[in-house]
Amino acid sequence: DAKTTQPPSMDCAEGRAANLPCNHSTISGNEYVYWYRQIHSQGPQYIIHGLKNNETNEMASLIITEDRKSSTLILPHATLRDTAVYYCIVRVVGFNKFYFGSGTKLNVKP
Amino acid sequence: DTGVSQDPRHKITKRGQNVTFRCDPISEHNRLYWYRQTLGQGPEFLTYFQNEAQLEKSRLLSDRFSAERPKGSFSTLEIQRTEQGDSAMYLCASSYRDYPTDTQYFGPGTRLTVL
């Protein structure tokens, strides 16, 4: 699987958009980008995934650059409950396991 | 609640004892995964099942570890002769084989402490 690079931590003010970047410069054409988050002492929670088009669901938006070498997860109106570690993962189609890196610790502040 | 469940949520044991964890996947999911997470690190893949067949095992899964999924439903992960290095969160995930994306949904985890 392609390696991903994320900043170790970020701060965001409550009510503002949180933009979490991920670099995956060695991504292949058949690799999807997934985002999960993990709130302290809980299991990882699926957020969103995409291949090359931008995606949006009730939790977040995923913006993938045209060259697919980086992506941004956007939480449109961050709340204190969004404080968590966010993992960006790329996975080859047909492969089963996820490789989690160290993620980005998002601190949402009042 | 129809999510992935794990039991127990916490387990404290003494070094050398055997422990067993259980995972109940989402009912229609035919794939089940085990991961291990140590403090400050992301989860690491241990093994996965498709139905009752164990199709892949990580090198992290030493011979003291064994996982089963009888009848393709719930799964158990057993650790024999526990060591202090086994202290970690053990996470279970399940998915429905849905080419090409196969999104995994995680349970709350079992936190193991080996004294």
Side-chain angles (χ1 to χ4, degrees):
Chain A
D1 287 348
K3 183 177 179 180
T4 61
T5 304
Q6 299 178 253
S9 66
M10 293 182 63
D11 291 336
C12 178
E14 188 178 20
R16 303 297 293 269
N19 296 278
L20 292 94
C22 179
N23 182 286
H24 32 80
S25 57
T26 59
I27 194 169
S28 302
N30 61 348
E31 289 184 309
Y32 277 75
V33 180
Y34 287 78
W35 284 83
Y36 281 77
R37 73 180 183 183
Q38 190 170 26
I39 297 170
H40 183 63
S41 296
Q42 298 182 22
Q45 178 188 22
Y46 167 75
I47 301 173
I48 200 168
H49 72 276
L51 183 61
K52 55 183 177 181
N53 297 321
N54 297 338
E55 303 287 345
T56 295
N57 63 20
E58 65 279 4
M59 288 184 68
S61 295
L62 173 60
I63 308 298
I64 303 174
T65 58
E66 192 170 344
D67 63 8
R68 301 186 69 242
K69 293 184 176 182
S70 66
S71 61
T72 301
L73 179 74
I74 301 173
L75 308 178
H77 305 288
T79 71
L80 298 178
R81 290 180 297 177
D82 292 322
T83 292
V85 177
Y86 287 76
Y87 295 100
C88 169
I89 305 161
V90 293
R91 190 179 74 167
V92 176
V93 168
F95 277 62
N96 303 296
K97 52 187 177 285
F98 283 123
Y99 288 99
F100 287 81
S102 298
T104 295
K105 177 68 167 42
L106 176 67
N107 298 300
V108 181
K109 300 185 174 182
Chain B
D1 187 4
T2 57
V4 178
S5 62
Q6 293 187 243
D7 183 70
R9 295 290 308 277
H10 303 274
K11 178 72 177 178
I12 299 174
T13 190
K14 294 182 178 179
R15 188 177 53 185
Q17 297 294 305
N18 299 343
V19 294
T20 300
F21 310 140
R22 177 180 170 124
C23 171
D24 286 274
I26 294 171
S27 60
E28 65 269 24
H29 285 185
N30 56 359
R31 288 184 169 180
L32 187 147
Y33 308 78
W34 286 98
Y35 290 79
R36 182 175 73 181
Q37 185 174 25
T38 53
L39 204 60
Q41 303 297 315
E44 297 173 290
F45 170 80
L46 291 178
T47 188
Y48 101 95
F49 294 82
Q50 181 161 305
N51 300 312
E52 65 275 10
Q54 188 174 17
L55 297 185
E56 189 172 353
K57 293 193 291 186
S58 161
R59 289 174 296 174
L60 293 174
L61 212 66
S62 75
D63 56 5
R64 296 185 298 105
F65 288 69
S66 62
E68 294 182 342
R69 194 184 181 198
K71 303 179 183 178
S73 56
F74 71 92
S75 175
T76 58
L77 178 68
E78 181 184 16
I79 308 174
Q80 296 181 326
R81 305 180 304 280
T82 52
E83 302 172 355
Q84 288 184 325
D86 297 330
S87 294
M89 174 81 87
Y90 289 85
L91 294 160
C92 175
S94 71
S95 71
Y96 179 74
R97 186 171 184 270
D98 179 20
Y99 186 86
T101 54
D102 192 23
T103 299
Q104 297 178 23
Y105 297 89
F106 285 79
T110 294
R111 181 166 296 283
L112 173 66
T113 302
V114 182
L115 302 177

